[in-house]
Amino acid sequence: MDIQIIYEKIKKAKELRLINNCYNFNVVENSTKLWEAGDDFLFAYADHGIQRLIYFGSNWDAVDELLKQVKNGRYLIEFMTKRPDEHKPVGSALLARMMRLANYDCRTVFSEDSAVAQYMDLPVGEKAKVEDVNEIDRILRSTFHTEISHLPSKDEIKSRIDQFTVHKSEGNIDALLQTNVMPKKFYINQVVNKGDRKNIHAILLNELKKYIKDGGKYLYAWVEDTNMASLKFHEKYGMKHDGMWSMIYCLER
């Protein structure tokens, strides 16, 4: 697969302002197949054993025509929208609807009437170590749907080990938090709690405290709309649906 061809097509697609679902251009490096129709195109890339589709098209009809060319396999197509009924890709079945939850000023989490006030200032949690990689991988893959959650490989967990904070009971991880913290964004990536709920709350609060100390405010996460337990968990942190959806569809041919 000549990935340079895809990069060149993307460059032109930007000039033409084609609609697309390419939010991370690094995926081009893992591209496996390409379908074309004039300036419109669609390519598949390998994501840890899963084939995902990236489209660039003049409109949804053009994207659907490209999708009709896709054969012999199972493919995932995902796009963000403010209208979950905007479009159903031709020949696909809905796999999941993810809601973006956000708190634009997470300093409010530390108010006296906060829903998590009782878990503040607990000395709970430790940064994960390289020797925890196998256990973290096992926990993530036994907890989350691999087609929905974009789970990292063991090598990626190792390279991002600083993103993981854990709590251990009798030597085993029973609470895990993965975050991606930037100067103006705090992303809650994965939350797992198999022990006392105070542990995962204390871990998150301690990480948030560092972020706020450095001037951060914006807190967000993506949660499936049917995951009531997770929705309630994030609600305790003042996080509400901001209107953005990530729609995930499956094509099996």
Side-chain angles (χ1 to χ4, degrees), residues 107-252:
R107 294 176 300 179
T108 58
V109 173
F110 292 89
S111 63
E112 292 182 0
D113 60 349
S114 169
V116 290
Q118 60 185 310
Y119 308 116
M120 292 180 191
D121 301 317
L122 296 179
V124 174
E126 60 183 90
K127 283 298 180 181
K129 302 178 178 64
V130 172
E131 51 264 37
D132 297 319
V133 167
N134 287 338
E135 187 176 5
I136 290 172
D137 178 70
R138 179 184 59 76
I139 290 171
L140 291 179
R141 295 188 181 280
S142 64
T143 304
F144 300 103
H145 193 306
T146 56
E147 291 185 325
I148 297 172
S149 298
H150 298 274
L151 298 177
S153 65
K154 287 184 181 180
D155 286 342
E156 288 169 334
I157 294 172
K158 184 177 180 180
S159 67
R160 305 172 193 170
I161 198 67
D162 61 323
Q163 294 182 354
F164 293 87
T165 308
V166 300
H167 176 269
K168 295 182 179 180
S169 177
E170 298 182 357
N172 297 314
I173 296 172
D174 65 358
L176 178 154
L177 173 71
Q178 181 189 5
T179 60
N180 187 4
V181 182
M182 295 155 275
K184 295 185 178 181
K185 294 181 180 180
F186 187 110
Y187 175 45
I188 301 176
N189 197 335
Q190 310 288 1
V191 177
V192 180
N193 190 58
K194 299 181 181 297
D196 193 316
R197 62 184 174 185
K198 73 177 182 182
N199 295 327
I200 192 63
H201 284 297
I203 288 172
L204 179 51
L205 286 166
N206 288 335
E207 293 302 307
L208 277 177
K209 194 179 298 181
K210 299 173 190 174
Y211 170 65
I212 292 170
K213 184 178 180 181
D214 291 335
K217 293 182 181 180
Y218 179 63
L219 171 67
Y220 76 107
W222 288 95
V223 178
E224 191 171 356
D225 64 345
T226 58
N227 191 339
M228 299 310 297
S230 185
L231 290 171
K232 290 179 180 178
F233 175 89
H234 289 83
E235 185 180 2
K236 293 180 185 296
Y237 291 83
M239 302 173 72
K240 299 179 180 179
H241 187 206
D242 68 359
M244 186 62 73
W245 295 83
S246 181
M247 308 297 296
I248 306 174
Y249 291 88
C250 172
L251 289 86
E252 195 154 15

Side-chain angles (χ1 to χ4, degrees), residues 32-169:
T32 57
K33 299 178 184 179
L34 173 66
W35 299 270
E36 305 174 75
D39 292 323
D40 303 321
F41 66 100
L42 174 76
F43 70 89
Y45 73 93
D47 179 20
H48 307 103
I50 297 166
Q51 290 288 319
R52 301 187 187 276
L53 296 172
I54 299 295
Y55 60 79
F56 284 82
S58 51
N59 51 46
W60 275 118
D61 288 340
V63 173
D64 281 344
E65 287 303 310
L66 288 166
L67 291 174
K68 290 176 182 178
Q69 300 182 38
V70 178
K71 302 183 186 302
N72 304 321
R74 181 179 175 87
Y75 300 85
L76 277 293
I77 182 168
E78 180 176 0
F79 61 90
M80 289 191 286
T81 178
K82 290 187 176 181
R83 295 188 294 109
D85 60 348
E86 177 182 353
H87 185 72
K88 180 179 181 293
V90 66
S92 70
L94 180 65
L95 185 62
R97 308 194 321 168
M98 309 295 289
M99 305 168 67
R100 188 169 67 190
L101 307 179
N103 181 341
Y104 290 89
D105 188 352
C106 61
R107 294 176 300 179
T108 58
V109 173
F110 292 89
S111 63
E112 292 182 0
D113 60 349
S114 169
V116 290
Q118 60 185 310
Y119 308 116
M120 292 180 191
D121 301 317
L122 296 179
V124 174
E126 60 183 90
K127 283 298 180 181
K129 302 178 178 64
V130 172
E131 51 264 37
D132 297 319
V133 167
N134 287 338
E135 187 176 5
I136 290 172
D137 178 70
R138 179 184 59 76
I139 290 171
L140 291 179
R141 295 188 181 280
S142 64
T143 304
F144 300 103
H145 193 306
T146 56
E147 291 185 325
I148 297 172
S149 298
H150 298 274
L151 298 177
S153 65
K154 287 184 181 180
D155 286 342
E156 288 169 334
I157 294 172
K158 184 177 180 180
S159 67
R160 305 172 193 170
I161 198 67
D162 61 323
Q163 294 182 354
F164 293 87
T165 308
V166 300
H167 176 269
K168 295 182 179 180
S169 177

